Amino acid sequence: MDVTTLILGAGAAGLMCAARAGPGTLLIDHARAPGEKIRISGGGRCNFTNLHTGPENFLSQNPHFCKSALKRYSQWDFIELVDRHGIAWHEKTLGQLFCDGKSTQIVEMLLAEMRAAGAELWLGTSVIGVRHDGSRFSVVLERDGQRTAVTARNLVLASGGKSIPKMGATGFAYDLARQFGLKLVEPRPALVPLTLGGEEVLFRDISGVSAPVVTSAGKARFAEAALFTHRGLSGPAILQASSYWRPGEPLFIDFLPEESGDFLLQAKRETPRATLRGWLRDRLPARLADILAERLGLEVEFGNAPDKALRAVAERLKRWTFQPNGTEGYAKAEVTVGGIATAELSSKTMAAKRVPGLYAIGEAVDVTGWLGGYNFQWAWASAFACAQAL
Ligand code: FDA
């Protein structure tokens, strides 16, 4: 069988690419259903894009790489597509757009677009081997125990990252990229809960407590909710920071983002009879206030506390240092940071510079979005850029 384009992976990027590439395109996936991550995303309502999408919302070794694709297929283009299909949506928070109904509407929309474009989809199909003779790819596929040899001028790697292996995620795109000599940026789990060990396991006692905080890891800062869990830290603020966090590094939390300056000295003047525990309980969930007060060990009333001690306590509350001992890994990671090095690809077309006809799109590439619809926007935009070039 001969096709113009063979796309490996019918997830967000593969479906969009097939929908825009049109006739002569074969899209395959080893899963029994397409777009499974779209289906489960956003709690079943799919956070399909973000109103504020811009290059600054992405991590990559080359922060400029995503610019061209994001500009040529923006959040407004995807919203226009969603509107054209009559899918109702709403903004939840921070520009995050969700379906009013089910996320499967987005999968159905992409499948309808793909069928209208004349592309073909094979599910339950595995790749047995790939060869390239310099101008065409020869790929052996296996479906229902039957092997088919397919030749294609273009081969698009759209099989995503390693997150959630239980849902069929594999390192397949990385293996193929390696086979063709493309460099990788070391993949690691991102948008993932962090685990605490040592003395910090005490925080497990407040599992289930959440509070609005500001987290910082490296140069990144996120003002969202943090959640304490039975293994450590989660919640949007932590997931966001996890993409920037490296093993061995600290993670900082500002538990009192509303407070600034010498706020405890002011409290001493205004409420000298107050205790730290009581004062914190007025501002934070009680269990969190208690554990922080316990660890800070300031037992006396503010009026009897030296200014120096109050300043030191205030500083710790504004920059609490956690020393996570790891992440919950790919099993719990929403995305994979790293992947096929952008230096190997054209930012205009996603084509591999050194292998004619080879392309990589979506999460397989070393472009990773923040939490909040950015990863799907990258999948749509990179797929569109690629499809234009096929
Ligand atoms: P994607 O993972 O979608 O697709 C890859 C496809 O390749 C899969 O269908 C897989 O079966 C197939 N495949 C893998 N290996 C293969 C092999 N060896 N042979 C054949 N096929 C193979 N993002 C966002 O913007 N908003 C959100 O609300 C969410 N929510 C969310 C929730 C959860 C639980 C997760 C895990 C992730 C999210 N994300 C998200 C992230 C988002 O789902 C992700 O970034 C995109 O789906 C990436 O799109 P891709 O097409 O690149 O990969």
Side-chain angles (χ1 to χ4, degrees), residues 12-77:
L15 286 165
M16 176 58 111
C17 189
R20 290 291 169 265
T25 302
L26 174 62
L27 171 64
I28 71 105
D29 202 297
H30 65 174
R32 288 277 158 201
E36 278 293 86
K37 280 195 185 163
I38 302 176
R39 183 178 61 78
I40 61 150
S41 68
R45 289 189 196 278
C46 185
N47 176 195
F48 54 80
T49 193
N50 192 296
L51 290 177
H52 310 307
T53 304
E56 61 284 0
N57 308 117
F58 295 85
L59 290 84
S60 173
Q61 244 178 22
N62 176 1
H64 303 292
F65 181 82
C66 61
K67 286 182 179 171
S68 167
L70 290 174
K71 208 165 170 183
R72 279 158 55 218
Y73 193 85
S74 71
Q75 56 274 42
W76 311 111
D77 293 307

Side-chain angles (χ1 to χ4, degrees), residues 9-14 28-31 37 40-42 46-47 125 158-160 164 168 170 172 333-335 361-363 373-376 379:
I28 71 105
D29 202 297
H30 65 174
K37 280 195 185 163
I40 61 150
S41 68
C46 185
N47 176 195
T125 304
S159 55
I164 325 278
T170 63
F172 183 61
E334 219 165 90
V335 289
I361 58 176
E363 204 181 308
Y374 303 101
N375 283 296
F376 280 139

Side-chain angles (χ1 to χ4, degrees), residues 42-43 45-48 88-92 96-100:
R45 289 189 196 278
C46 185
N47 176 195
F48 54 80
W89 53 268
H90 61 277
E91 180 186 350
K92 198 168 167 189
Q96 301 167 6
L97 303 192
F98 286 75
C99 298
D100 288 357

Side-chain angles (χ1 to χ4, degrees), residues 60-62 65 185 339-346 353 365-367:
S60 173
Q61 244 178 22
N62 176 1
F65 181 82
V185 173
I340 300 171
T342 54
E344 301 284 0
L345 306 173
S346 151
K353 290 176 184 167
V365 178
D366 171 35
V367 174

